[in-house]
């Protein structure tokens, strides 16, 4: 499960749909958030669903 999630997040990052921020600490910490492009995609998908 973790490997699949990691792979999917890497694909989304390569597509510039998410922004990944790494923190240099132990244990490692990573935050992911939607990029502006990802937010725009969400708006478009919401409109399609309506």
């Amino acid at each position: 499960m973790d490997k699949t999630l990691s792979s999917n997040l890497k694909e989304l990052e390569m597509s510039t749909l998410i922004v990944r921020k790494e923190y240099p600490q132990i244990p490692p910490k990573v935050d992911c958030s939607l990029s502006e492009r990802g937010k725009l995609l969400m708006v478009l998908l919401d409109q399609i669903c309506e």
Side-chain angles (χ1 to χ4, degrees):
M1 173 82 174
D2 289 338
K3 187 174 180 181
T4 301
L5 176 60
S6 179
S7 295
N8 288 340
L9 288 172
K10 285 179 184 177
E11 284 184 38
L12 290 170
E13 184 181 17
M14 288 173 46
S15 301
T16 66
L17 294 175
I18 65 167
V19 176
R20 186 172 185 265
K21 179 165 172 88
E22 295 182 36
Y23 297 92
Q25 64 186 45
I26 296 176
K29 179 181 175 184
V30 176
D31 284 335
C32 294
S33 60
L34 284 175
S35 66
E36 290 304 314
R37 184 175 180 211
K39 291 175 186 175
L40 176 60
L41 179 61
M42 289 301 299
V43 170
L44 295 173
L45 291 173
D46 285 341
Q47 290 175 352
I48 290 170
C49 289
E50 290 175 8

